[in-house]
Amino acid sequence: MASGKLLRQLISSGARGDLAAFRAASEAVIQEERQKKHHLLANDLERLLYAEQATFGHGKLGGHRTFSELPKSADSGIALMEERPAVREEKDIILSDDARSIFEEIILEQNRADVLRSYGVQPAQKLLFCGPSGCGKTLAAEVLANSLSLPLVLVRIDSVVSSFLGETASNLRKVFDFIAQHPVVALFDEFDALAKDRGDESDHGELKRSVNAVLQMLDSYRGESTLVATTNYEALLDPAVWRRFDEILRFEMPNLEQIKRLLALKLSGIRRNFDVECSKTASLFKGLSHADIERVLRRAVKQMILSGREFLEPADLKAALSREYNGKPPQG
């Protein structure tokens, strides 16, 4: 529980309607809970705080720039991009050794970009993250933005893609013009919707034109933003797309050792009657993605709290798994 002083500041600022003081007190509470290793609670509080900020147009905190206006679609008037909070750190993401090595190299290149450019070499700026859903692709983009102290901006594919002739390419041009002018981490989530294989005869001409536009804009991009495209369906991507990226990072379902690390991370600060390093415990989650595991753990911890118990039991994990998967835990 947060200290009495912080709670008084939080309630006082909220009652006064002092939004800046309320945000500062909220962040202090989150930081205190994280220092206590209550990571699940801290993550929940962060989501609540930053989701409210996004709703009221205040953007994220931490000294990052917020944008008063983002480009909009001409035909619908809907924003083509939205700013997202970037609060997760490198310690919050579990990757395979190979993936972590590539990820750390990307961050190093970006942080030493001036040195590389002084030798006529460009840092990796156009990145493709591919792999199963829930394995950390979007989280990695957030961690990247946080590590580089850049705003994270999500490209809204549903707004960019238009049924009007030529409008998709026009929307894309607005997006690329914006990220060329403003250094950000630009996240193109579900990139396969924009860059689907042109050999697919079921798609109409406008989608094929959008692929051509994407390829041309990736080729001509010269800004300082980092572009991150993600896909769960790499087989759908047009073959010509792959060589436009500087780095391709593959995300995988967690193995047993990674599950143990994930359990240790997410249950840090939670009193429990089992060892997260136990293979028997970790094997309960075999076949689940990172996001699935976190969701099950959240359900188990909530049940422990609501039952008035101090310790998380293996039975809580099994009950949460059964509840999540209708009594049929996934098979690894």
Side-chain angles (χ1 to χ4, degrees), residues 101-314:
S101 177
I102 295 172
F103 190 63
E104 290 175 349
E105 186 175 319
I106 289 168
I107 293 174
L108 177 61
E109 287 189 21
Q110 286 293 325
N111 284 327
R112 305 287 308 277
D114 291 343
V115 175
L116 290 174
R117 289 187 177 114
S118 70
Y119 284 87
V121 180
Q122 292 294 322
Q125 284 184 283
K126 291 175 281 190
L127 316 173
L128 177 61
F129 293 172
C130 51
S133 176
C135 288
K137 298 185 296 295
T138 302
L139 173 58
E142 179 184 338
V143 171
L144 181 62
N146 185 299
S147 298
L148 302 179
S149 297
L150 289 174
L152 174 64
V153 179
L154 172 69
V155 178
R156 297 183 56 181
I157 303 297
D158 60 329
S159 301
V160 169
V161 176
S162 172
S163 59
F164 292 101
L165 185 64
E167 191 62 33
T168 299
S170 175
N171 289 338
L172 280 169
R173 173 47 59 199
K174 291 178 182 179
V175 167
F176 273 85
D177 285 348
F178 180 87
I179 61 182
Q181 296 166 13
H182 306 283
V184 299
V185 171
L187 175 60
F188 292 76
D189 209 7
E190 299 183 3
F191 186 65
D192 44 273
L194 274 178
K196 197 172 181 181
D197 188 350
R198 288 168 292 181
D200 187 345
E201 296 180 359
S202 65
D203 284 331
H204 57 75
E206 179 66 2
L207 284 176
K208 289 180 171 63
R209 283 189 287 272
S210 77
V211 177
N212 292 334
V214 168
L215 296 177
Q216 291 169 6
M217 292 177 200
L218 285 173
D219 281 339
S220 62
Y221 177 72
R222 296 294 182 271
E224 294 187 9
S225 292
T226 300
L227 283 56
V228 179
T230 73
T231 180
N232 302 336
Y233 306 103
E234 57 187 274
L236 295 180
L237 292 178
D238 191 272
V241 167
W242 294 86
R243 63 178 179 272
R244 265 68 183 192
F245 291 99
D246 303 319
E247 287 285 359
I248 297 171
L249 186 54
R250 298 186 184 278
F251 292 73
E252 302 171 350
M253 299 290 278
N255 59 28
L256 207 59
E257 290 307 309
Q258 289 164 20
I259 291 173
K260 291 178 183 179
R261 287 159 51 198
L262 189 60
L263 294 178
L265 174 66
K266 298 302 179 182
L267 294 179
S268 178
I270 302 294
R271 302 176 76 183
R272 54 188 183 271
N273 278 331
F274 57 86
D275 183 2
V276 293
E277 294 294 327
C278 173
S279 294
K280 183 178 180 181
T281 300
S283 63
L284 292 173
F285 299 92
K286 190 176 180 182
L288 295 187
S289 70
H290 301 71
D292 291 335
I293 293 171
E294 183 169 356
R295 187 169 58 251
V296 169
L297 293 179
R298 193 181 310 281
R299 183 184 292 278
V301 171
K302 285 181 180 178
Q303 185 57 44
M304 177 198 75
I305 294 170
L306 293 175
S307 300
R309 292 180 284 107
E310 294 186 20
F311 291 88
L312 190 66
E313 304 285 348

Side-chain angles (χ1 to χ4, degrees), residues 65-97:
R65 176 177 180 177
T66 22
F67 303 102
S68 58
E69 188 170 352
L70 293 166
K72 296 180 180 180
S73 170
D75 66 315
S76 67
I78 299 174
L80 299 172
M81 311 170 77
E82 65 180 66
E83 197 171 356
R84 291 285 182 89
V87 296
R88 308 282 193 98
E89 302 174 359
E90 282 190 70
K91 63 181 177 59
D92 295 318
I93 188 169
I94 303 297
L95 299 171
S96 68
D97 291 342

